[in-house]
Amino acid sequence: MEKATIEVKGMSCNHCVSAVEGSVSKLDGIQSVKVNLEKGLVDVSFNNKEVSLSDIKEEIEDQGYDVV
């Protein structure tokens, strides 16, 4: 299991948190995802045999946020 912290710009409210956590958690191989709204960070634990970090970042960007 791998862990990563992704810096994300554009998240400003609880809807943003729900959108990111909801969409990322639906990806295969995701164990956990937690958004820190104040710091603009997304902590994710995942199985890199099922999903890549770039797939996770792409999913966040698909929700309309900018991955730094």
Side-chain angles (χ1 to χ4, degrees), residues 15-64:
H15 172 72
C16 301
V17 173
S18 297
V20 171
E21 288 182 349
S23 65
V24 172
S25 67
K26 290 179 183 173
L27 295 172
D28 290 338
I30 298 295
Q31 181 182 20
S32 68
V33 57
K34 180 74 178 139
V35 171
N36 183 323
L37 190 59
E38 289 178 9
K39 295 182 179 178
L41 300 175
V42 178
D43 292 317
V44 63
S45 297
F46 61 100
N47 181 338
N48 65 352
K49 290 181 171 73
E50 294 183 57
V51 65
S52 69
L53 185 56
S54 62
D55 290 336
I56 296 166
K57 289 179 177 180
E58 186 176 316
E59 183 64 33
I60 293 169
E61 289 176 339
D62 285 350
Q63 295 302 310

